[in-house]
Amino acid sequence: MKSRIRVILIAAASVAIVVATAVFFQRTQSSASSLKAGERLFYERNYSRALAALSTAHARNPEEERAAWYLYLTYLRLDRQKEADALLADLNPNGIRDSGILAELGNYHYEKKAYAQAARCYAGSLSLAENPAVRRRYAETLVWQKSYSRALAELDRLLRSNPSDWRLQELRADVLSWDGQYVKALGRYRELCLAGYHREAILKKMAPLLGYAAADSAGKGFGRELLSEKSGVTDPAERPSAGSPVHHAEGSEVIPSRMSSVPDADRGRGLAGKASVSGMYLHTEESAVRLLKRHPDDEGLLRRAISAHEAAGHPEQALALYERLLTKRPHDPALATAAARTFAWAGRLDRARQLYGAVIRGGKATDAARAEYAEVLYRDRAYGDAADQYRELWKKGALKSKQALDYSRALISLREYAAASGVLEELQRREPENSGVIEARADLAFALREYDRAERLYGTLIQARPQDPVLYGRLADIAMARHDYPKALGISRDMLRKFPSSENALLNIARISSWQRDYSTSLEYYDRLLGSVHASSRHYREKARVLGWMRAYGRSLRLYREAVSRYPEDSALRAESEAKKHYYRNAYRSSVRAYRSWLLAEPHHPEALFDLGQLYMQQQRWREAAQTYDALLADMPDHRQAATVRKKIDVLSSLRRLESGAEYFSAKSASRLTDVNWTGLRTALYMPIRDRVSVFVKFDRKDYRFESGRHTPFSNALTAGVEYRNRPDIMLRAAYGFKQNSGDLRDSHTGSIEAESMPLDNLHVDLAFRREEVIENYETFSSHLQKSRWQGRVLYDGFRRWNAGADYALDRYSDGNSRTNIGADVTAHLFYEPTRLSVSYRWQNYGFSDRSGVYFSPESFTTHTFGLEWQHFLNDEELYRGTNDTYYSAAYRVSLEPGSSLSHHVEAGVYRDWNSRLSTSLQYQHTWNSKEAVYEDDRLSAQAQWHF
């Protein structure tokens, strides 16, 4: 019978497991399908339907952060800010590891004209994956921010991979003119004119620059010469359309071949065509739009309007027209391919992928179209799919040089380094002088941390392109990756000599100097940046951070306020300023909220992640701290401070430690009935039992001497306890102790219950109950005198410069006596680390209910204590939580006691972390009274702590 029951139970359990697994699998699959559909609808800009799908995906799997972030983006697009903010409260900004999400956040901020915040998002996206469309938009945001040198660097990077993009060339010339580099801008414009690109429009741009460049006569002559040219320079629109596309962006071209075969419907269309031939693209656009309103179904006019929008550099306005044409000709592969190019140009990579995919699935795609499809996949960060497409074309030899380079970079992104190396070796064999191949090989070597090889290749590129400051910056990056900061400084100073206004060089020197704690040099170069044309909110922010590292918190906050007033549209700056304000005043909860907002504006920002991790460590929230530093190290694996802290977190979060110490104490006072002397040895072991719960056991041995050595008892005490931590909300600790005394002395039972909480930021509340022995002299010891103490303390530390506290205690003695104690104190910090100097004042009054002839028990005893405390750190690096500290300290206090008596107290100590696991400390203190024989004590203690 029992065996049958057992079989039935096993069968029932098996069925339950199978059903539960099936339900879980079904929910997981359903969530994944909803997420996939939601993402597709989101990129199709169908936000209402995307909201339904993403809400379903998030509800079925709340732990899926990708669904949550796309849902958040959808709420933003629908202007449902309240729902977006509510969802953000449950999200972890550190978890954004998807470059697409960052790019979409950037697009949202760009459309809202929050260019600074958009730039941060685009930079974060590009740090995860290269995307020319995102980099182009990043460059545009830098232009809006007037960060012209940075914009030029990004445009140079784009042009190296696509030098025939005339629109980018024109934009680069424009930026040079806006940056005041008029001669260089004129040279670029001249090259564009000679190439036949928008000749008359470019000449109009050149006219005012001639005066700015102080070359009026020569410039006017050059302008007349260009205007009189009738041969050798032709407008792109005058060239044969077939086989001669005008490139406006990567993979895009005008499609006039089919339009030229459509006869003009009326005189207006003829005028539009003439405007196009003359190169007046804006007029063409206006004419075509007006005609299209009159003849909305004319396919020829649709095509002309598309061509006009593209020629004027407005691909976004051509997209709707392409959609109308595609509804008329849904099976035209040439039209679908042309539309896909323009959608890709406009950054609508999702639609471009759909169009290319349809052409390829129809079996009518050429190798060129497949290569363009692979380019779109690469730009859309679908490196795996892009590599698959490229791989087949690479084997067939159907890839152009740039496409092959993109293939190698996709392989590098996938960490398929061997395959990338093979592609680059073949490209090197085919085109040994192609600088793009050499640069890709250098980038591969850098990714492989083959710094010597990368350095050689970048050096070769510098010989070919000695005026390219980006390459010198790469050499400085290599030196910094090796932590060879002197060399990086040397390279940066050489850059500054070659390029006196180089923002990159000035910034490198300022940054490296701050890392080496050469703060005066760092501030000098930040001031040079802030006084130059390159001044930007980023430079204000970095200088303010350096002031914070110097503990000049007031100056730092003033600089943040100045930056916010100069750049009110920079939401990332405002977020950082707010975060630092709360961080500097040690407001934990407000700081965490502010840092999360900062990380939303600038995902994976190293400063934000590092500070947030420090906040978590301060409250012993080891899991959150570990996740934060893991996110930082995933982006910056060579971040030494983060690596040090992460290692320390592993040690501290284990909650396993052993403490051992020795102590000597002696106190004498004839008038205050004090005579005790003891030496002690103690050992404590702490072990975790759960994530936030640990237990401990302590052993304490003491040998006493009383009345000049006539009594020498000893005691052995064993204490066991449990501790629960959920800071800053609550920390609870409870302990019970048993103390065995020698000879006929009675044994003792002791114990304690403690609670610590921070109910509001900067407001600390401590409550405790303790049962302990009173050992003032041999009589109190032998009579087994004990007391029960109830105490509470409130402390406010809302400002870095000072804190204040108050406390109350009530002691109940076993002989029926009682004592009340009231105190208040304030501490001001004059200097901060590495040398901390503080002054303090404390008022205290205590009194007993009854007088005792056994121990000192005044009715009322008031003291006024003034203190001076000094602490000096000897750390080689910057101070932060998680580093290994070495410091020594000293203090002096003087107390005014009743009867005009002065009590003096001095102490000195030294502390050292030998490594992340072992630390030791030594401390001595001495107290004496100005009136002889009133009171005197000495204490010497040593302790070692080992985490295992």
Side-chain angles (χ1 to χ4, degrees), residues 347-402:
R348 289 285 306 278
L349 301 182
D350 53 341
R351 182 61 173 146
R353 289 176 64 170
Q354 291 175 357
L355 291 168
Y356 277 123
V359 173
I360 290 172
R361 286 191 299 272
K364 298 180 180 181
T366 63
D367 285 343
R370 289 181 179 274
E372 291 172 7
Y373 179 44
E375 288 185 72
V376 171
L377 291 170
Y378 175 78
R379 291 172 57 193
D380 203 24
R381 304 163 303 280
Y383 299 121
D385 295 337
D388 291 339
Q389 294 289 332
Y390 278 134
R391 188 174 288 111
E392 181 181 348
L393 296 168
W394 172 254
K395 291 177 181 177
K396 295 170 64 176
L399 290 182
K400 297 177 182 178
S401 175
K402 178 192 174 300

Side-chain angles (χ1 to χ4, degrees), residues 265 275 283-284 347 383 392 408 519 589 687 708 731 767 802 876:
H283 297 294
T284 303
Y383 299 121
E392 181 181 348
S408 70
Y519 295 127
R589 295 182 181 88
M687 293 292 292
S708 302
M731 191 283 293
L767 301 173
W802 63 272
D876 294 330

Side-chain angles (χ1 to χ4, degrees), residues 283-301:
H283 297 294
T284 303
E285 211 173 11
E286 294 171 1
S287 301
V289 169
R290 284 198 300 269
L291 288 169
L292 197 58
K293 289 181 179 179
R294 294 167 54 189
H295 306 279
D297 296 323
D298 190 306
E299 184 175 333
L301 284 178

